[in-house]
Amino acid sequence: MLLSVRIRHYLKFMQMRGFAADAVLSNSGLHAPSLNDPSCLVDARQCNIVAGNILQLTGDPGIGFEIGTRTGLDDFESIGAALTSATTLGQAVQLWSRYASPPISLSFNKQRHDVEGISSWSVEARGANIDDAIFRFYAEEAFGVGMNLGRLLGTPLDVRDVSFAFRARRPGRYEDHFHCPVRFDAPRTTLRVVAPSLQYSLSDWRRA
C-alpha cells in the first residue's frame, strides 16, 4: 500500500499489542503525528527499518504473516474503496499489487494448465537488495493479505500449494490458514490458486 498508509497500519497493529509508536518507528526518521499529513512521504528504506523494528520487538520471525491475516479493507484506507469497486478479481489483484502490496517485487502469472490438467494462476514474491528477514516479513504479509482479501471480496481463494524460500517457523500456522500443502526451503516463494479465476466477476458477486 502507499507506504505512509502501510506504516500507519503497522503502528495500529503494534499498539494493539502494547508497543509504543516511538519504539516501532525507532531510527526511521518517522514520527507518528506526521504520518497523518497528506504531504508525508515514506520511502522503502524507512519502511524496511520499521519492519525490522517489528521483528525485533516481537521476537517473532513470522509476524508478517500475522499482520497479513489480520488486515481488513479498512486498513487500506482509500485504496480499499478502489478494491471493492473492481469489476473482476484480476483487476482487484492488479490494484492491490500496484497500490497496496509491500515494497518487494510481486509477479502474477496468468491462468494456465499444469501437467495434471489443472487450471491455475500464481503469484511469486522476489526481493532484491533486501535483508532475508525483511523479505520474509513482506512475503508472508503479502500472502496473508491475499488470502484475507479474497474472503473480504466475497471470493475466498482455493489455493493449490504454497512455497517459501526460507525455513519453516511454526508450520502449522501456515497450513491452518492456506488449507493446502506448504513447502519451505523451496527455490522460489510462490502461491498457486486454482479458483476463482482472475476473470471471476466481482460485479456478479455484488449483485448476488
Side-chain angles (χ1 to χ4, degrees):
M1 67 187 67
L2 297 175
L3 294 183
S4 58
V5 176
R6 175 170 298 282
I7 298 299
R8 286 198 294 271
H9 175 44
Y10 288 165
L11 277 181
K12 177 182 174 183
F13 177 88
M14 292 294 284
Q15 287 175 325
M16 289 178 64
R17 287 183 162 228
F19 294 98
D22 287 348
V24 179
L25 300 176
S26 178
N27 298 316
S28 68
L30 299 171
H31 303 280
S34 64
L35 291 171
N36 295 314
D37 185 338
S39 65
C40 176
L41 297 177
V42 178
D43 60 34
R45 180 190 64 83
Q46 292 172 307
C47 195
N48 293 346
I49 290 171
V50 173
N53 290 340
I54 292 172
L55 288 167
Q56 184 176 31
L57 289 167
T58 62
D60 181 359
I63 192 64
F65 185 70
E66 187 76 14
I67 292 174
T69 58
R70 295 179 180 274
T71 298
L73 287 173
D74 289 347
D75 296 312
F76 293 111
E77 299 184 13
S78 61
I79 304 167
L83 293 173
T84 57
S85 65
T87 56
T88 65
L89 177 61
Q91 187 180 65
V93 165
Q94 290 300 323
L95 284 169
W96 174 76
S97 175
R98 183 172 182 180
Y99 297 110
S101 66
I104 55 174
S105 172
L106 293 174
S107 58
F108 293 84
N109 300 310
K110 296 181 179 179
Q111 208 86 18
R112 63 182 180 82
H113 288 81
D114 63 17
V115 294
E116 299 174 345
I118 297 173
S119 178
S120 65
W121 57 274
S122 63
V123 56
E124 179 176 356
R126 299 188 185 96
N129 302 317
I130 187 172
D131 181 82
D132 288 346
I134 304 299
F135 169 73
R136 174 184 180 142
F137 176 91
Y138 290 144
E140 291 184 345
E141 181 194 356
F143 285 6
V145 167
M147 292 292 291
N148 217 26
L149 185 60
R151 180 181 61 80
L152 293 170
L153 291 175
T155 173
L157 303 185
D158 182 0
V159 178
R160 177 75 171 178
D161 51 64
V162 182
S163 298
F164 290 110
F166 42 75
R167 292 184 178 181
R169 294 286 193 280
R170 293 170 56 189
R173 166 193 278 180
Y174 304 87
E175 292 170 358
D176 289 346
H177 189 70
F178 292 112
H179 305 293
C180 72
V182 179
R183 179 186 175 195
F184 294 89
D185 288 321
R188 299 182 300 164
T189 295
T190 62
L191 179 147
R192 187 159 63 108
V193 180
V194 293
S197 72
L198 291 170
Q199 289 74 43
Y200 178 87
S201 175
L202 297 178
S203 299
D204 290 344
W205 163 70
R206 282 191 287 268
R207 286 195 295 268

